[in-house]
Amino acid sequence: MKSICVYCGANFNGDPVLKAAIEKLTARMSERGISLVYGGGSVGVMGLLADEMLSRGGAVTGIIPQFLMDKEVGHKGLTEMIVTSNMHERKKKMADLSEAFLILPGGFGTLEEFFEVLTWLQLGLHNKAIGVLNIGGYYDNLFAQMDVMVEQRYLKQANRDLVFNEQDPELLLEKMMNFSATPDEVWFKDRNLT
Ligand code: AMP
């Protein structure tokens, strides 16, 4: 694995457990030569993540639309910054440049990006691993809702199981590196043909 796209908040609540997890995550990524692809901001969890990665000598590519350069304060010290003309271009570029997706705590933007790549995996449009770094159980209610969706038969268990849910960055990275569903397998799972 050469690059991971991380989706995370443009805000940060100061949680020291999250900060420690980001330190561990960026240490493992830089040691293994895995580059970071993210939204390009210098604020919130996004900014913290980029700074931690850079401080460990890791490569960081930011991808930000022009109109957010001021609002999310485009990071000035990245290895590479790609400025897109709109949100859709940003998301496509982030996905295309990455071999896996990681979700850290965030708000609507983070969830939107998470569910987009998850539905693309469910549809077999890519076969890249998706992992949620569920610090302090921040996303427990979201996973509980997924279980309700399975119980109520709006979501297949096999698709519910496509996403990794871990609190430890090292364990999550291990699981993601061993993920190997092919688009065909995902496609068949989605249609309950296996
Ligand atoms: P949030 O999780 O709301 O703090 O947002 C985190 C990141 O997601 C920020 O960089 C937002 O610009 C980005 N974002 C918000 N909405 C969207 C969207 N519809 N498409 C792509 N990125 C988004």
Side-chain angles (χ1 to χ4, degrees):
M1 196 183 282
K2 290 273 170 283
S3 58
I4 297 181
C5 174
V6 179
Y7 298 126
C8 56
N11 296 287
F12 176 48
N13 64 5
D15 178 9
V17 181
L18 175 56
K19 188 168 187 305
I22 288 175
E23 287 166 7
K24 194 168 169 186
L25 172 71
T26 51
R28 295 299 162 271
M29 284 175 68
S30 50
E31 274 162 27
R32 290 176 171 156
I34 301 173
S35 65
L36 167 68
V37 175
Y38 86 115
S42 64
V43 295
V45 181
M46 292 202 291
L48 175 64
L49 174 72
D51 289 342
E52 291 295 335
M53 190 72 184
L54 291 166
S55 75
R56 291 177 172 80
V60 183
T61 297
I63 305 178
I64 195 163
Q66 186 65 55
F67 82 96
L68 280 181
M69 272 300 245
D70 296 335
K71 202 163 172 250
E72 292 182 350
V73 199
H75 200 296
K76 299 276 186 285
L78 302 181
T79 318
E80 179 188 24
M81 179 69 113
I82 299 173
V83 181
T84 64
S85 45
N86 57 54
M87 284 302 227
H88 282 100
E89 228 181 81
R90 175 202 224 181
K91 288 195 290 184
K92 180 163 177 14
K93 197 94 193 152
M94 288 173 84
D96 287 349
L97 289 181
S98 313
E99 292 173 34
F101 304 99
L102 200 51
I103 289 83
L104 267 54
F108 280 160
T110 303
L111 285 191
E112 197 268 350
E113 292 165 321
F114 168 43
F115 280 109
E116 181 169 69
V117 290
L118 185 53
T119 53
W120 287 352
L121 177 60
Q122 175 177 272
L123 293 170
L125 298 176
H126 70 77
N127 63 349
K128 301 171 184 177
I130 302 176
V132 173
L133 190 59
N134 190 8
I135 299 300
Y138 177 71
Y139 284 118
D140 281 355
N141 289 334
L142 195 66
F143 283 102
Q145 177 59 32
M146 291 183 201
D147 293 334
V148 170
M149 291 155 78
V150 171
E151 272 163 41
Q152 298 275 329
R153 291 177 283 123
Y154 285 106
L155 173 65
K156 295 197 171 67
Q157 184 69 49
N159 288 329
R160 158 71 179 80
D161 294 342
L162 286 172
V163 52
F164 296 112
N165 171 9
E166 291 295 337
Q167 302 220 12
D168 177 60
E170 186 137 29
L171 191 56
L172 185 57
L173 280 181
E174 279 315 313
K175 289 189 172 180
M176 289 170 68
M177 284 196 272
N178 291 322
F179 179 78
S180 67
T182 65
D184 275 351
E185 279 169 353
V186 175
W187 193 91
F188 281 119
K189 269 185 199 168
D190 187 39
R191 283 151 189 82
N192 248 357
L193 300 176
T194 54

